[in-house]
Amino acid sequence: SKPANIAEEDSETPYLTSRIIDFLEESKDKGPWLCHASFIKPHWPYIVPAPYHNMYGHNQIQPVVRHPSERDNPHPVYAQFQNNAIGQAFSRDEVLETVIPAYMGLIKQCDDQLGRLLEYMERAGRMEDTMIVLTSDHGDYMGDHWLGEKDLFHQPSVKVPLIIYDPDEAANGTRGTVVDALVEAIDLAPTFVEASGGVVADNILEGRALTPFLHGKQNINWREFAISEYDYSATPMCANLNLEPREARLFMVADERYTFMHAEGGFRPMLFDRQEDPDEFFDLGESEAHTAVIAEMYDRLARWGRRMSQRTTISDVEIESRRGGAEEVGIFIGVFDESEVDTKYTASLTGPSKKRPNNET
């Protein structure tokens, strides 16, 4: 493959790393800050600057994870993504043998630039007061399951890395450990709020702070399932399935064993047993033996759909403080006469009226 027609230091990842370092320099002695450093690479177009463009070859890539049975009567939505231009391209070995080494080179460049950033933070003393989170917005199929990109809910797409460095001494006991709890990306915002000493506004932030895991708390009452959503209404797959835009929505419910997908538009569900089928090759969405599991997943999806997502501007504390008090200012709702009201509220409102001076109106 040929290198990108740009100097490596001017390509996306080094450029952004330089801007991050500039931001950290400018933030010195200015109080708490949050930097969302979002590297666009690795991402298509797979154009890689030297020397990363040819660091890896096709003989260094992992075998693709796919099975012929996945093409046998697939779920209609799954079939659309298998057969779109991206799915067809990533089903070809020559595409994988060209793209994956380039993708690996872009990851290596990210690793190197992350090292550059961490070296700066160590020199500047910022490792002592900065929480660092390494994660991703989604994975990439790269040919797994006869797919490219990110569009469904197999593990290559939805199981993303999450590495957290917490400088707090309370986290010393958990350093280097692994937690296999069901974590969602929305858990990061409340984690940052707690790390900065704030109180999580849980009427606005639906995620749950990861602080208990970082500080080694025991018997944590955590979620029993995780949710993911996907809207493909702007794609040709929506039109090919004769769906209205509002119907082109997918929902995932995943627990420690199963991954379930519901597709709007009247389709059957998808279900994978990751314990018996860790590669998620065999869809159990039509399995009569798994009707109870599917029913439980639909119940969970319904519970999630009933979450408090409509009232997001007023906290419970503020709501409780607003209850009552109308009588204090002379507002009596549902009262017929003064005999129904405590006299402490009516004393100033009953008795003969006071005569005003003639010059008052």
Side-chain angles (χ1 to χ4, degrees):
S1 61
K2 295 181 179 180
N5 186 23
I6 188 173
E8 193 270 334
E9 61 269 21
D10 295 328
S11 62
E12 297 96 333
T13 305
Y15 173 83
L16 183 57
T17 304
S18 296
R19 301 292 74 75
I20 296 165
I21 293 173
D22 291 343
F23 169 80
L24 298 183
E25 280 288 303
E26 295 167 1
S27 300
K28 285 181 178 178
D29 305 319
K30 291 186 178 180
W33 48 264
L34 175 67
C35 178
H36 179 199
S38 182
F39 290 147
I40 186 63
K41 300 292 185 175
H43 199 282
W44 56 263
Y46 305 112
I47 301 172
V48 191
Y52 299 97
H53 71 293
N54 61 0
M55 279 188 175
Y56 303 96
H58 64 85
N59 58 325
Q60 294 173 289
I61 66 177
Q62 295 295 314
V64 67
V65 179
R66 64 192 184 196
H67 194 281
S69 66
E70 294 179 289
R71 288 188 172 281
D72 182 18
N73 188 33
H75 186 285
V77 176
Y78 183 20
Q80 283 295 317
F81 283 99
Q82 284 182 336
N83 294 316
N84 71 2
I86 297 169
Q88 290 182 13
F90 279 92
S91 295
R92 296 161 52 194
D93 289 342
E94 65 270 26
V95 171
L96 299 176
E97 292 175 359
T98 301
V99 171
I100 294 180
Y103 194 90
M104 293 166 64
L106 291 169
I107 292 175
K108 169 61 174 167
Q109 186 186 34
C110 287
D111 289 345
D112 290 347
Q113 290 300 312
L114 180 60
R116 174 187 166 209
L117 176 59
L118 295 178
E119 287 175 359
Y120 162 80
M121 296 183 70
E122 288 176 348
R123 292 194 307 271
R126 301 318 301 256
M127 297 296 288
E128 301 169 8
D129 63 3
T130 306
M131 174 180 282
I132 302 172
V133 178
L134 177 65
T135 189
S136 177
D137 55 345
H138 58 80
D140 198 308
Y141 281 101
M142 281 285 156
D144 291 347
H145 305 287
W146 310 95
L147 297 171
E149 288 218 303
K150 60 188 178 184
D151 302 290
L152 294 178
F153 302 117
H154 300 86
Q155 295 290 284
S157 177
V158 299
K159 187 175 182 180
V160 298
L162 178 62
I163 302 171
I164 301 179
Y165 163 73
D166 184 354
D168 194 315
E169 290 184 358
N172 287 347
T174 64
R175 302 198 188 284
T177 61
V178 177
V179 174
D180 60 2
L182 294 164
V183 172
E184 298 179 354
I186 58 175
D187 295 333
L188 291 177
T191 302
F192 299 151
V193 171
E194 287 197 354
S196 61
V199 177
V200 177
D202 60 4
N203 58 301
I204 297 173
L205 301 177
E206 294 187 39
R208 300 182 60 182
L210 301 172
T211 314
F213 296 115
L214 298 174
H215 294 176
K217 303 295 184 181
Q218 301 298 317
N219 302 316
I220 301 169
N221 180 25
W222 198 246
R223 65 169 62 91
E224 62 183 24
F225 58 90
I227 297 287
S228 185
E229 303 173 77
Y230 188 64
D231 185 322
Y232 62 102
S233 58
T235 72
M237 285 69 79
C238 172
N240 293 345
L241 291 167
N242 296 315
L243 297 177
E244 296 295 329
R246 67 184 58 193
E247 295 177 304
R249 294 182 295 140
L250 308 176
F251 299 87
M252 179 203 80
V253 181
D255 61 18
E256 293 180 352
R257 178 170 180 174
Y258 294 99
T259 298
F260 163 88
M261 184 194 82
H262 165 70
E264 289 286 279
F267 300 109
R268 69 167 178 85
M270 293 181 73
L271 181 71
F272 295 101
D273 182 348
R274 302 193 314 277
Q275 178 176 298
E276 300 298 324
D277 174 27
D279 289 324
E280 300 174 303
F281 288 149
F282 307 108
D283 180 7
L284 304 173
E286 293 182 308
S287 168
E288 294 184 3
H290 292 82
T291 53
V293 174
I294 292 171
E296 181 181 23
M297 291 301 195
Y298 270 117
D299 177 69
R300 289 169 166 176
L301 185 59
R303 273 191 279 155
W304 174 81
R306 295 192 299 270
R307 73 198 188 284
M308 191 189 71
S309 60
Q310 305 305 312
R311 195 195 79 222
T312 60
T313 59
I314 305 174
S315 69
D316 289 353
V317 172
E318 185 174 353
I319 287 172
E320 290 169 358
S321 71
R322 292 184 180 187
R323 291 175 183 162
E327 297 88 349
E328 301 282 355
V329 294
I331 300 173
F332 305 103
I333 298 174
V335 173
F336 181 67
D337 61 37
E338 64 271 18
S339 65
E340 301 174 10
V341 181
D342 193 306
T343 56
K344 69 179 181 180
Y345 297 126
T346 60
S348 64
L349 304 174
T350 58
S353 61
K354 295 180 180 179
K355 187 175 181 180
R356 295 178 177 177
N358 291 334
N359 62 347
E360 287 189 4
T361 59

